[in-house]
DNA sequence: TTGATTTTCTATCACTTGATACAAATCAGT
DNA sequence: ACTGATTTGTATCAAGTGATAGAAAATCAA
């Protein structure tokens, strides 16, 4: 509710799709590759600052300065702050999808068969869960996972629109597998809740990372320590899915 | 970095403890009970708006308007926005402590004994975990749990200072119990990670609440549904702590 | 009531934010 | 080189932010 001028001098903003979606008309016509560079710089700077400071505190000026371009470039290429944020989310999501998509597809395909053993189902769950865990525990492209975590916390438009697209799939796959392992209908509360927890644990790795590291006296989750983390997490998941000894209660 | 004036006309702000701590000098000297009312209104409005909008987006003006008082009242009673936020956190924390403190104390006392059975240890864990779960799943004072979740996401000063005070205790107790159940040293990665997950699951209930409810087709966690949730969560915890069948793999 | 103190309110400050207008610079195709 | 489009930069806008000054009102102790 900040930039709603009562009477904009020109009608350009309102004539261009509410002023925030799709403002770049440069990639449409071919050529003019020069701008693509600054566009990229803006994306990277955006991801970094949004991740570090959150949506509100990351000012467009700081982002532009960080990218080494002028402020209006941001409006020009992304139509505004929200547009940039959205683009950042899509950029990350695209990368995540390209890295996790194949595995997910393979799992979904394998799930077609109805004669899978418990061990096989667990293996499929692991195949879809483990890359995620690695991506969130590690901080290789620190800002990416952080950006992810931010978007989750703030209820931006980017969340519902983008995160859902990948979170839902992951959850749906988890539900399918858990349902079959436990031998319960996919719609049953038990299956849903447990699946949400399994998927949620992954994001928890990111959120609780500093606390975990501090408590353990570690500095990161790399190499052997990452293996340990994965092992413990996985052991927890499998045993929580075991038909094993009735919980003492 | 917004209100750092180069040369403040008066030195009051800097003469009053950096300007954000303890600005209310009304409760010190007795009497003048009139103000306590607006102070309370500001706290409630603060909790509500901070919870709904987050720290940044909740403007002092909106809070004051919501509380039905004028803007400077906020400065007067809490020294500023940050002071109010801190006060809100303390206010909630105080209530949480009063509701969970006794049980926690009882558990800590019971842990003195070293001859506790697995079942007894589990019971203690449950005693300290369950009230938390209820508080986060329910939305009686919707804003409270939401405020809690917000503070967790944004890295406000309130987080480190306040949340730690209660989160650390809970985590420490969980570690102690898990360590004894698993028969591993408290400092071992397995114990730490598993404990963090147990505690983290509780906050996850809040964060993933809308997703879980939507997936289940429920509207809230009340009555029987709350029972189901608690049951499933608890079953997951116990079986993840079971010495049971070695995880397949 | 008086007088000191606490509490509230109006107006305003200094500053930041996101967004624009518009001219200058750059580029591609001829 | 010329032309038309794209891209960048300067200066500026309007709105909104948290905070303050300072007078007016309300409150309590005497």
């Amino acid at each position: 509710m900040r930039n709603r001028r009562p009477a904009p001098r020109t009608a350009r903003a309102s004539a261009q799709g509410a002023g925030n979606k799709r403002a770049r008309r440069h990639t449409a016509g071919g050529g003019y590759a020069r701008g693509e560079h600054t566009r990229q710089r803006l994306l990277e700077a955006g991801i970094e600052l949004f991740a570090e400071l959150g949506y509100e505190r990351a000012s467009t000026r700081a982002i532009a300065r960080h990218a080494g371009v002028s402020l209006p470039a941001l409006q020009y290429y992304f139509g505004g702050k929200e547009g940039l944020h959205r683009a950042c989310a899509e950029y990350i999501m695209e990368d995540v999808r390209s890295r996790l998509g194949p595995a997910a597809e393979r799992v979904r395909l394998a799930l077609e068969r109805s004669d899978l053993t418990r061990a096989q189902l667990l293996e499929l769950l692991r195949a879809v869960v483990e890359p995620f865990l690695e991506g969130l525990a590690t901080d290789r492209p620190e800002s990416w996972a952080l950006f992810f975590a931010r978007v989750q916390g703030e209820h931006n438009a980017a969340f519902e629109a983008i995160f859902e697209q990948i979170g839902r799939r992951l959850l749906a796959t988890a539900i399918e597998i858990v349902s079959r392992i436990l031998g319960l209908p996919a719609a049953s509360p038990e299956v849903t809740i447990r699946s949400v927890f399994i998927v949620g644990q992954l994001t928890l790795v990111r959120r609780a990372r500093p606390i975990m590291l501090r408590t353990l006296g570690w500095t990161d989750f790399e190499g052997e320590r990452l293996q340990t983390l994965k092992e413990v997490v996985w052991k927890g998941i499998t045993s929580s899915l075991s038909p094993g000894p009735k919980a003492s209660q």
Side-chain angles (χ1 to χ4, degrees), chain A:
Chain A
M1 220 178 282
R2 175 183 275 134
N3 344 306
R4 218 54 60 86
R5 294 222 214 156
R9 207 82 61 113
T10 73
R12 240 183 75 192
S14 57
Q16 206 177 111
N20 53 4
K21 293 180 175 183
R22 178 163 323 271
R24 50 193 154 110
R25 59 277 205 201
H26 69 302
T27 42
Y32 285 85
R34 163 78 170 285
E36 199 61 21
H37 179 245
T38 79
R39 193 185 137 81
Q40 196 71 16
R41 300 265 307 164
L42 273 170
L43 268 177
E44 288 163 15
I47 291 176
E48 192 164 332
L49 290 192
F50 282 140
E52 184 182 350
L53 304 169
Y55 181 79
E56 311 284 343
R57 312 178 66 122
S59 72
T60 54
R61 281 172 170 79
I63 294 173
R65 186 167 357 107
H66 201 83
V69 305
S70 71
L71 173 54
L74 197 153
Q75 315 300 345
Y76 181 71
Y77 281 104
F78 301 96
K81 189 182 191 179
E82 192 179 324
L84 175 62
H85 189 249
R86 225 184 167 71
C88 289
E90 278 169 13
Y91 184 76
I92 291 180
M93 216 53 57
E94 191 45 46
D95 179 90
V96 171
R97 202 175 322 177
S98 76
R99 281 197 289 182
L100 274 50
E105 193 51 39
R106 188 173 60 77
V107 168
R108 207 158 328 157
L109 223 74
L111 280 176
E112 300 279 328
R113 299 180 44 187
S114 59
D115 62 335
L116 296 168
T117 68
R118 188 186 121 87
Q120 285 174 315
L121 285 168
L122 278 175
E123 198 47 50
L124 290 180
L125 183 59
R126 179 172 201 161
V128 81
V129 145
E130 196 143 271
F132 236 91
L133 180 59
E134 283 184 29
L136 288 176
T138 313
D139 53 358
R140 215 82 48 120
E142 163 70 27
S143 9
W144 290 25
L146 242 174
F147 181 96
F148 210 80
R150 286 276 187 198
V151 173
Q152 227 179 329
E154 313 163 351
H155 272 357
N156 299 89
F159 175 70
E160 282 292 333
I162 315 284
F163 169 77
E164 285 269 309
Q165 199 177 35
I166 193 162
R168 272 226 178 279
R169 284 164 177 248
L170 186 58
L171 182 59
T173 313
I175 286 182
E176 167 73 12
I177 298 181
V178 169
S179 157
R180 282 163 71 168
I181 289 185
L182 294 183
L184 292 171
S188 69
E190 170 128 17
V191 168
T192 300
I193 295 174
R194 204 166 294 291
S195 303
V196 169
F197 276 151
I198 289 175
V199 174
Q201 264 189 359
L202 306 183
T203 76
L204 209 83
V205 169
R206 162 57 49 174
R207 185 164 297 275
R209 219 174 71 108
I211 292 177
M212 248 187 303
L213 289 175
R214 208 182 323 156
T215 310
L216 285 168
W218 293 356
T219 59
D220 54 40
F221 285 122
E222 299 283 349
E224 195 174 342
R225 293 186 289 278
L226 178 58
Q227 287 306 316
T228 304
L229 174 68
K230 275 160 47 176
E231 202 176 303
V232 173
V233 170
W234 185 246
K235 223 156 74 181
I237 291 180
T238 55
S239 63
S240 84
L241 290 180
S242 77
K246 207 48 191 267
S248 70
Q249 196 289 85

